[in-house]
Amino acid sequence: MKKIAVASVLTISVIMFSAFVQNPKEASIKRGKEVYDNNCMSCHQENGEGIEGSFPPLAKSDYFQKDPKKIITVILKGLNEEIKVNGKTYNMMMPEQSYLSDEEIADVTNYVANSWGNKSKAVFTPAQVKAARN
Ligand code: HEC
């Protein structure tokens, strides 16, 4: 009986510990999906495919591929100029989303930079967003 109790306590501790040390990048991407669904999806669509002629795609977008930090700048400052994404021209206005917290912006950037065929080695942090605000 005592052995079972000890075993259960051990099992629970191991489970709690693994949740605690969950890969921080994975955790951020997971939170970022929620930020995306609530703040970006209405324009950029569920799978980042965008709407041709209006909202540029984020999936495999060559616009930020070389420098995914651009995603942070676009969220903080918005974008209102003619741009080319994957060979197509877009010239609409994206309102800034700077009301999002530093953490939300870091999370959604990690999500966008690592979804729908996008891949980024970098891990974006709230401190980086904070610095970019100024
Ligand atoms: C109201 C619609 C709208 C919302 C909401 C919106 N965007 Fe945009 N986004 C646009 C438009 C329009 C452009 C192109 C702007 C231009 O042509 O100058 C754009 C451009 C971009 C770009 C650069 C171009 C590209 O395709 O790589 C990124 C990155 C981006 N948005 C990310 C986001 C993220 C992340 C969110 C949520 C936090 C978001 N956007 C919310 C409309 C929107």
Side-chain angles (χ1 to χ4, degrees):
M1 208 48 211
K2 212 170 169 192
K3 261 190 193 157
I4 293 173
V6 169
S8 332
V9 167
L10 271 177
T11 312
I12 290 166
S13 316
V14 167
I15 291 169
M16 282 171 66
F17 185 68
S18 4
F20 181 70
V21 296
Q22 187 188 27
N23 180 336
K25 185 179 183 184
E26 290 306 318
S28 173
I29 290 172
K30 221 169 164 183
R31 290 191 303 267
K33 181 182 179 350
E34 200 165 308
V35 181
Y36 181 85
D37 290 355
N38 292 331
N39 300 282
C40 321
M41 193 169 81
S42 53
C43 294
H44 292 287
Q45 305 299 298
E46 191 174 355
N47 296 305
E49 68 270 36
I51 295 180
E52 210 182 306
S54 305
F55 306 119
L58 302 180
K60 303 200 182 107
S61 156
D62 60 2
Y63 184 82
F64 62 76
Q65 209 79 277
K66 271 193 227 119
D67 185 15
K69 274 202 304 296
K70 263 193 193 164
I71 303 172
I72 294 178
T73 324
V74 171
I75 296 172
L76 285 175
K77 317 273 183 210
L79 198 61
N80 188 11
E81 59 190 35
E82 188 175 300
I83 57 168
K84 227 179 188 161
V85 184
N86 299 345
K88 304 248 158 59
T89 304
Y90 295 85
N91 196 359
M92 296 256 294
M93 201 265 286
M94 172 169 155
E96 55 156 277
Q97 319 272 312
S98 58
Y99 55 86
L100 294 169
S101 71
D102 293 347
E103 181 170 59
E104 286 171 322
I105 293 177
D107 290 344
V108 78
T109 301
N110 282 321
Y111 176 66
V112 169
N114 293 283
S115 299
W116 323 298
N118 299 336
K119 255 255 115 0
S120 166
K121 272 194 219 115
V123 185
F124 300 97
T125 63
Q128 217 173 339
V129 177
K130 191 171 184 205
R133 274 191 202 269
N134 311 307

